[in-house]
Amino acid sequence: MKVLVIGGGAREHALCRSLSQDPAVTELHCAPGNAGIAQVATVHPVDQLDGAAVAALARRLGSELVVVGPEAPLVAGVSDAVRAAGIPVFGPSGEAAQLEGSKAFAKDVMAGAGVPTARSYVCVTEAEAVEALDAFGAPYVVKDDGLAAGKGVVVTDDRAEALAHALSCDRVVIEEYLDGPEVSLFAITDGVTVLPLVPAQDFKRALDDDQGPNTGGMGAYSPLPWAPEGLVQEVLETVLQPTVDELRHRGTPFSGLLYAGLALTSRGTRVIEFNARFGDPETQVVLARLRTPLAGVLLAAADGTLDTLEPLRWDEGAAVTVVVASEGYPAAPRTGDPIGGLDEVEAEGAYVLHAGTATGPDGEVLSSGGRVLSVTATGADLAAARELAYRGVARISLKGCQYRSDIALRAAR
Ligand code: AMP
Ligand code: GLY
């Protein structure tokens, strides 16, 4: 199978790594890719928001499956353009991707599907925002309605800060605060059948002990030894299947990866958000544990034949990933610095997945984004996987870089 992956972050590197290990994959291409992806796939320049350009590239390469990774091309309708060219595509239509692209749309779908989530108001004017903030009280949760790459959400006890964020956005969702630990559960779906993957946990805050600003995610692990038994089945029945059914009934069937960000609150499981794509960095650990070859699963979702697949097989052990970010991330990341030690990580039993990297004029690898790379390892349990991942991280040298030292620490204990 000739596969083309669209995107160029750590998620796409993780996808390409798994696809490159799948014997069914005869050719692997990625556009635009990054310096690390170039080691496992043939990379091509492309404007990933341009559906016609992506479809033309896929046709030229004879792609038999296109996997659209990030949310921006999905929301821009890149999957629709590829599907219209007659090529199987893993990734929802632009309309269905509004589940991630608009928080207000997602709330409306959840209301229609009876999916438990935080009570919320959609606010446009200052008066509406003030009323919503005071209705819920602190801690305040204010979300930009549109795509904001994980930076559109402010959770704070400071009413002035909450109001200022609301006023800085055109349209916001203000909602009730959800207490309790967060879980990310991904499901692969063809619009009818829903196949949950294994749960993972992300670390959203920049600093140890969940201090500092919200980020795109600083690390992840799987499995979650503390999670209640039956969680996956419960979420399948109360969240994932009803959402997929609701979208199909609305005439906007969702196929691809449905990401449920959940809070396990004192009053039960609630959806914090949906994403229309694999999450980063959770994908690194979920795919690290997947034993079933990936390409056939993604193709079955694209083809509408997920109901014919054998159950997915998983590694019983654990996986941990630690994100190495640039100095100044997330506010003002510094870029353009050389990254050392990349070749030494595998000797520690871990591996590097590139996110914000680029190849310099002399073939050297340079930092080019906020989250630069992640180091992933597997092991018999979380403590073992963690040990190897951090040994790998210690090999990386990048001026001013930062990473959390407590990824999976509590769970491993
Ligand atoms: P989101 O982009 O909606 O996932 O929000 C980013 C992060 O903000 C989440 O992972 C949570 O840590 C936090 N958050 C979002 N909504 C809520 C909520 N209703 N209550 C508590 N924390 C929240
Ligand atoms: N890990 C959070 C996200 O991918 O949105």
Side-chain angles (χ1 to χ4, degrees):
M1 192 189 317
K2 296 182 186 175
V3 183
L4 169 62
V5 175
I6 301 302
R11 161 189 44 229
E12 287 75 33
H13 195 176
L15 287 164
C16 284
R17 185 175 195 273
S18 292
L19 289 166
S20 73
Q21 295 169 346
D22 182 341
V25 175
T26 52
E27 268 184 40
L28 183 59
H29 299 270
C30 185
N34 63 32
I37 293 172
Q39 294 166 6
V40 291
T42 309
V43 297
H44 306 266
V46 79
D47 173 358
Q48 52 176 319
L49 299 183
D50 182 343
V54 170
L57 176 64
R59 214 181 290 114
R60 180 162 68 74
L61 296 171
S63 305
E64 292 155 291
L65 173 66
V66 175
V67 180
V68 183
E71 61 274 25
L74 289 168
V75 169
V78 166
S79 297
D80 305 83
V82 175
R83 214 170 270 124
I87 302 167
V89 56
F90 183 83
S93 68
E95 275 190 352
Q98 283 303 311
L99 197 62
E100 172 165 4
S102 164
K103 305 255 184 213
F105 176 78
K107 286 290 186 187
D108 194 53
V109 170
M110 283 188 262
V115 166
T117 185
R119 288 179 296 125
S120 66
Y121 295 106
V122 180
C123 306
V124 177
T125 67
E126 177 168 358
E128 286 169 350
V130 166
E131 196 183 326
L133 290 173
D134 293 339
F136 292 126
Y140 303 100
V141 182
V142 182
K143 303 184 173 188
D144 191 343
D145 181 46
L147 272 190
K151 288 162 208 138
V153 178
V154 167
V155 181
T156 179
D157 284 322
D158 181 341
R159 189 174 174 285
E161 185 192 350
L163 186 58
H165 182 56
L167 297 181
S168 74
C169 307
D170 291 339
R171 213 157 91 110
V172 290
V173 173
I174 293 179
E175 67 180 33
E176 134 193 56
Y177 178 80
L178 300 174
D179 62 346
E182 288 180 40
V183 172
S184 300
L185 183 62
F186 303 164
I188 290 180
T189 177
D190 55 12
V192 180
T193 301
V194 181
L195 221 59
L197 307 187
V198 289
Q201 190 174 46
D202 181 12
F203 291 74
K204 293 264 169 139
R205 300 283 183 150
L207 307 175
D208 281 7
D209 294 324
D210 296 328
Q211 302 298 306
N214 255 322
T215 70
M218 295 299 289
Y221 66 95
S222 176
L224 314 180
W226 50 268
E229 213 179 306
L231 177 69
V232 172
Q233 189 62 27
E234 179 210 327
V235 175
L236 174 64
E237 288 168 12
T238 63
V239 173
L240 299 167
Q241 190 72 54
T243 300
V244 166
D245 292 343
E246 172 73 15
L247 283 161
R248 188 176 66 252
H249 295 144
R250 286 178 178 226
T252 50
F254 185 104
S255 74
L257 194 290
L258 176 59
Y259 166 140
L262 306 160
L264 309 191
T265 77
S266 46
R267 294 160 55 212
T269 305
R270 300 278 185 280
V271 173
I272 294 178
E273 64 161 349
F274 283 126
N275 291 317
R277 47 154 181 97
F278 282 97
D280 178 2
E282 298 96 312
T283 302
Q284 286 88 311
V285 291
V286 171
L287 292 184
R289 296 186 56 213
L290 180 65
R291 287 284 152 269
T292 306
L294 183 61
V297 181
L298 302 184
L299 183 64
D303 276 352
T305 56
L306 269 186
D307 60 330
T308 65
L309 273 196
E310 301 274 314
L312 297 177
R313 287 178 288 112
W314 297 97
D315 187 335
E316 290 301 320
V320 172
T321 194
V322 179
V323 171
V324 177
S326 336
E327 182 177 351
Y329 177 75
R334 175 193 161 99
T335 58
D337 292 310
I339 305 167
L342 290 166
D343 295 339
E344 298 163 31
V345 172
E346 279 195 19
E348 300 291 355
Y351 53 90
V352 176
L353 296 168
H354 291 231
T357 69
T359 308
D362 303 316
E364 73 278 33
V365 179
L366 302 174
S367 61
S368 68
R371 289 188 293 175
V372 176
L373 56 84
S374 58
V375 177
T376 306
T378 55
D381 57 22
L382 285 171
R386 215 180 157 261
E387 167 78 25
L388 297 180
Y390 276 107
R391 273 197 220 161
V393 169
R395 293 290 182 155
I396 299 291
S397 55
L398 167 64
K399 191 165 187 281
C401 74
Q402 39 165 337
Y403 57 87
R404 279 182 64 156
S405 69
D406 63 346
I407 304 301
L409 180 59
R410 277 172 55 200
R413 284 178 182 155

